[in-house]
Amino acid sequence: SSGINAEWPLRPGMDNNIKLIAGFTTLVSISLVSLYFLLSKRKRPVTLDPNLKVPLKLTKKEEVSHDTRLFRFALPSDDHILGLPIGNHLSLSATINDELVVRSYTPVSSDDDVGYMDLVIKVYFKNVHPKFPNGGKMTQHLESLKIGDTIDVRGPKGKINYLGNGKYEVKRKGEVCRVLGHSIGMIAGGSGITPMLQIATDILKNPTDDTQIYLLYANQTPDDILCKDIIDRMEMDDRFNVWYTVDRAPEKGWAYSVGFVDEAMISARIPAPARDSAVLICGPPPMVKFACLPNLEKIGFKDDNIMVF
C-alpha cells in the first residue's frame, strides 16, 4: 500500500524525539507571537507637537471623485506614528498669495498606520459655488501640490477624546467631563463625516467594543457623499447603521431621505435619549445651530450627552 500504516512501529527513542521536536516547535511559535506583539505595541516616535509646525511631504494623490482627493503625507520616518488621539483633529497651514491660511482636518488614517497620514478632502474649486466664487483657499492649494511638496501640520487639537468601549472625555468650559455612549448617534454634514469615520473606525476594529453606531449623513446630492466606499464597508458590521439625506435626489433609485435634517428624521434614525446614549455632531454651522441642536432638545437630549466637533 502507498498509504502510511497507522500501526507502523516507532524505532527506540523516536517517541521522545518527536515530543522534543513538537515542544521546541511550540516554544518557537509562542516566542515569535510574543515578539510580534511586543514589536507592534512598542512605543513609536510621535509626529505631532502642539507647539511646533511639522512639515510633511506629499507622497500620493488619488482622485476619489471629480472634486474629492485622497492625500497621503509621509511622516518623518517609516517608524513614526501621527500621535493623534481618537476624536482629535489637526491643522494644516500654508502661505497662499502672501496670506497665512490655517484649516482643520481629521485624517482617515490612525496611529495603526505607521509612517504616513491620509486625508480625504473635498476640493472647493473657484467659479463653482455662486456664494463662494473664489473657492476654498486651502483645498485648492492642496490640489496644486506636486508629489514631494510639503505642508505644515500642527496638533493634536480638539475637545473630544474617545477612550473606547463607549466612553468619551469632553472639554467643556475648562473642565473635562465624562460622557457615556454605548449607543452613539452621529449627525454629519458634508466634510463633517471625517471625524465620525475616525471614531467609527476605532470602534469597529475592536471586537470587544459593543458600541452601536447610528450615522445620519446629510449632503446636497448623492454625488457629494464623501468616503462612500469606507461607509459601505463599515455597513457590513452589525454595529454600524447609516441613513442618508440629500437636498436634491435623482428621480429614480434613491432609497433614502430628501430634505434637511429635522426632528422626525433624527427621531427615526438616532437612538433615543438614555443614560448610555449620546450624539456627536459635525457639519456646517447653520446645520448644527438650526437643524441639529434644537431638534435634539425637543426629543429630550440634554447638553451633557451632545458633543459638537
Side-chain angles (χ1 to χ4, degrees):
S1 173
S2 60
I4 297 176
N5 189 338
E7 297 182 359
W8 181 63
L10 296 174
R11 292 196 302 273
M14 283 187 68
D15 188 37
N16 290 335
N17 289 340
I18 290 172
K19 290 179 180 178
L20 182 62
I21 293 170
F24 179 74
T25 303
T26 302
L27 181 62
V28 169
S29 298
I30 293 172
S31 298
L32 289 173
V33 170
S34 301
L35 179 62
Y36 173 80
F37 180 81
L38 289 171
L39 288 174
S40 63
K41 294 298 181 181
R42 68 187 173 87
K43 191 171 182 180
R44 295 182 182 273
V46 171
T47 301
L48 291 176
D49 184 327
N51 300 312
L52 293 175
K53 292 180 180 179
V54 181
L56 298 182
K57 185 182 295 185
L58 181 68
T59 59
K60 176 183 176 182
K61 182 163 65 173
E62 179 181 315
E63 188 171 305
V64 178
S65 72
H66 69 286
D67 62 357
T68 304
R69 308 287 184 264
L70 183 147
F71 298 95
R72 175 165 292 180
F73 293 92
L75 302 182
S77 80
D78 291 340
D79 199 39
H80 270 71
I81 59 171
L82 185 60
L84 188 68
I86 302 299
N88 279 202
H89 59 270
L90 50 77
S91 65
L92 304 185
S93 61
T95 301
I96 304 170
N97 296 327
D98 298 323
E99 177 189 357
L100 178 63
V101 178
V102 182
R103 296 289 186 271
S104 295
Y105 295 100
T106 303
V108 295
S109 55
S110 72
D111 284 354
D112 289 338
D113 302 301
V114 181
Y116 68 90
M117 171 189 75
D118 283 348
L119 296 171
V120 173
I121 293 175
K122 181 175 182 177
V123 180
Y124 292 93
F125 293 102
K126 63 181 180 180
N127 300 322
V128 172
H129 301 279
K131 292 183 179 179
F132 308 100
N134 295 324
K137 294 178 181 178
M138 179 60 76
T139 61
Q140 290 182 102
H141 175 72
L142 289 168
E143 173 72 355
S144 73
L145 293 180
K146 304 292 189 296
I147 301 300
D149 290 345
T150 62
I151 193 81
D152 287 336
V153 177
R154 178 181 287 181
K157 297 184 175 184
K159 299 177 292 183
I160 300 170
N161 188 4
Y162 183 60
L163 306 177
N165 296 306
K167 298 180 179 67
Y168 298 79
E169 282 186 349
V170 185
K171 296 176 184 176
R172 289 183 173 137
K173 298 178 180 179
E175 296 183 356
V176 177
C177 307
R178 291 292 181 97
V179 177
L180 190 63
H182 288 303
S183 290
I184 187 71
M186 296 180 172
I187 307 177
S191 57
I193 188 64
T194 50
M196 306 303 183
L197 295 183
Q198 180 198 41
I199 291 177
T201 297
D202 193 72
I203 291 170
L204 298 179
K205 72 185 179 187
N206 182 358
T208 65
D209 192 329
D210 60 359
T211 300
Q212 293 292 314
I213 304 167
Y214 300 85
L215 171 63
L216 175 57
Y217 186 19
N219 282 280
Q220 292 187 10
T221 71
D223 290 339
D224 293 315
I225 296 173
L226 296 179
C227 304
K228 182 68 163 56
D229 57 333
I230 297 176
I231 296 172
D232 288 346
R233 289 196 299 271
M234 288 182 170
E235 216 176 350
M236 297 171 68
D237 192 305
D238 291 339
R239 293 171 290 173
F240 184 85
N241 308 272
V242 62
W243 190 259
Y244 300 101
T245 185
V246 295
D247 298 347
R248 302 182 301 280
E251 292 183 6
K252 295 181 180 180
W254 181 248
Y256 301 94
S257 296
V258 178
F260 296 135
V261 172
D262 58 19
E263 182 182 352
M265 201 181 296
I266 293 174
S267 296
R269 302 299 167 185
I270 296 298
R275 187 187 65 84
D276 62 348
S277 67
V279 179
L280 290 162
I281 307 172
C282 189
M287 185 192 92
V288 175
K289 184 177 180 180
F290 300 112
C292 296
L293 294 178
N295 288 314
L296 286 169
E297 184 180 352
K298 290 178 186 176
I299 292 167
F301 276 96
K302 305 299 182 184
D303 290 345
D304 291 346
N305 289 83
I306 299 173
M307 298 171 280
V308 181
F309 285 99

